[in-house]
Amino acid sequence: MGLTAFAIGLVLAQGSDEVELVRTFTKGERLTYEVTSSILSEQQFYPYTHFLPSEYGLSYRFTTNVLDVREDGFATVRYERPEIKELLGETADSPPKTNTERVNWRMEFTLSPINEITGMKDLSPPKPPARDKTALLARTIAPQDQEQDGPPPFIAGLIRELYGLAMFTGSLDSALDFSPKLPFEPVKPGATWKRTVSYQPQRLAGTTRQAVQRLDFTYTYVGLVQEAGRQVQRVTGAVTLDTNAAEFVNQLLDMKPAESGLSAINLKLDTTITFDLDPKTMRTLRAEAVSTGGFKVEVTQIEGRPVVEEKFKVKTSMRPVAAPR
């Protein structure tokens, strides 16, 4: 073997453990997945000292149909989600129950080989705006002796966003339906990459001020592993949020806590997720996520304890229920 051939062989050997995580599509491919998400939470409301447990869940099935595949690997996909099931846990006033809402989501878009959605077209029949399911989780955060229908809009919005992130029930960009977002370049085991999933008030590095900044999901390529008797490409992901959004709200109001009455809106979230991908097509075979977190709201009028505190744990999964045709 000549020196040049040896050098080429050495380079190829060094790069042999790199993998291109590229999703490939086949025209006519039809897939159906089921997504389930359940949250167990405990809430404490002032002036009470005990936590009240509650359960809530969502589930839905969606179908994708590949209408066409371009030479560059981008696919035209028809997406359908007929309904969403809402699972309500037992309360003091009622037994567990399930509500089903027909949403009739029908969309057509371009899906890239790294699972990014572009050029979306809504084909759903005209209808009133669907209920924001996570809004049902936004508990009243005022002290019990105050007459108030719900939290102020800016606080309710922050809480809804936290629930949406924990349960993956936000937009299609942040849902599990087209996850994980794959890397642009070939990767080796241990490689990481990031994708933005939300924007949250966070402290600017080296300052005492906050600004709405990107909240990134960090993906890690684990490698080829054995799972349930078959080889899969495994990718994990993680996102962490720990912020006091009251600082940002007071900045917007140009007030100090003593003036606004708002001393803390502590938001916490820690999510880990495992994706198993088909080694040939990189379509998702399984996704399992666990999120823990909560929030705590404190006001200056009540010192030493929050007016409301919640701790929660969420489990979310996505699995195929029909094989491609």
Side-chain angles (χ1 to χ4, degrees):
M1 178 184 292
L3 180 61
T4 302
F6 175 78
I8 293 174
L10 181 62
V11 170
L12 291 176
Q14 289 175 336
S16 61
D17 58 347
E18 282 194 339
V19 175
E20 281 192 302
L21 300 180
V22 175
R23 175 79 184 272
T24 59
F25 304 95
T26 302
K27 185 176 180 178
E29 177 187 67
R30 184 179 177 86
L31 297 169
T32 299
Y33 286 86
E34 182 171 44
V35 177
T36 61
S37 184
S38 60
I39 178 171
L40 297 175
S41 66
E42 294 181 317
Q43 308 94 30
Q44 183 186 72
F45 301 91
Y46 181 86
Y48 303 104
T49 57
H50 58 279
F51 281 86
L52 300 174
S54 65
E55 299 179 38
Y56 180 81
L58 294 174
S59 67
Y60 61 87
R61 288 188 176 188
F62 70 90
T63 298
T64 60
N65 187 11
V66 179
L67 305 179
D68 194 19
V69 182
R70 302 187 330 210
E71 291 185 2
D72 59 5
F74 284 66
T76 302
V77 176
R78 176 72 59 85
Y79 174 92
E80 296 181 356
R81 187 194 297 183
E83 62 186 26
I84 297 176
K85 292 183 179 179
E86 179 185 27
L87 314 172
L88 301 174
E90 182 179 5
T91 67
D93 302 320
S94 64
K97 61 181 179 180
T98 300
N99 296 328
T100 300
E101 181 176 344
R102 297 288 299 180
V103 293
N104 292 320
W105 283 16
R106 277 183 266 168
M107 303 174 190
E108 188 174 303
F109 46 73
T110 302
L111 190 59
S112 78
I114 60 170
N115 278 337
E116 297 283 2
I117 296 174
T118 63
M120 183 179 292
K121 184 191 303 181
D122 190 353
L123 305 177
S124 307
K127 58 184 180 299
R131 279 191 307 158
D132 179 1
K133 297 296 184 181
T134 56
L136 300 176
L137 295 170
R139 311 311 201 274
T140 301
I141 62 166
Q144 294 291 309
D145 58 352
Q146 290 187 15
E147 293 185 3
Q148 185 169 325
D149 294 331
F154 60 86
I155 296 181
L158 292 170
I159 295 172
R160 283 197 296 270
E161 182 69 15
L162 184 68
Y163 286 132
L165 287 170
M167 300 182 74
F168 298 93
T169 55
S171 67
L172 284 181
D173 288 334
S174 59
L176 287 183
D177 302 25
F178 299 100
S179 292
K181 305 306 180 189
L182 300 173
F184 296 107
E185 304 292 339
V187 291
K188 296 181 180 181
T192 63
W193 62 97
K194 294 184 178 184
R195 292 291 189 278
T196 300
V197 292
S198 180
Y199 291 84
Q200 293 290 323
Q202 299 173 71
R203 179 164 292 183
L204 293 167
T207 75
T208 59
R209 296 185 62 79
Q210 284 197 341
V212 175
Q213 302 178 69
R214 290 172 41 175
L215 183 62
D216 291 334
F217 211 98
T218 300
Y219 294 100
T220 302
Y221 174 54
V222 176
L224 197 63
V225 302
Q226 197 79 8
E227 175 67 27
R230 66 180 297 179
Q231 284 193 319
V232 297
Q233 293 286 9
R234 178 161 293 174
V235 173
T236 61
V239 64
T240 299
L241 175 68
D242 188 353
T243 188
N244 178 6
E247 297 177 3
F248 180 71
V249 173
N250 286 328
Q251 283 175 199
L252 291 179
L253 298 174
D254 194 22
M255 291 182 179
K256 296 179 179 179
E259 298 171 313
S260 69
L262 186 63
S263 55
I265 310 174
N266 294 317
L267 307 175
K268 289 190 175 184
L269 180 66
D270 189 357
T271 295
T272 58
I273 186 167
T274 300
F275 298 96
D276 286 343
L277 313 179
D278 184 287
K280 294 182 178 180
T281 65
M282 298 303 163
R283 68 181 180 90
T284 300
L285 301 173
R286 179 182 74 99
E288 300 285 347
V290 175
S291 301
T292 58
F295 62 88
K296 188 185 299 185
V297 180
E298 299 178 11
V299 295
T300 56
Q301 297 93 326
I302 301 172
E303 295 186 2
R305 57 169 299 183
V307 291
V308 64
E309 179 179 2
E310 177 167 340
K311 298 176 286 187
F312 61 70
K313 183 173 183 178
V314 183
K315 292 184 177 181
T316 305
S317 67
M318 182 180 77
R319 295 178 181 272
V321 294
R325 294 178 180 177

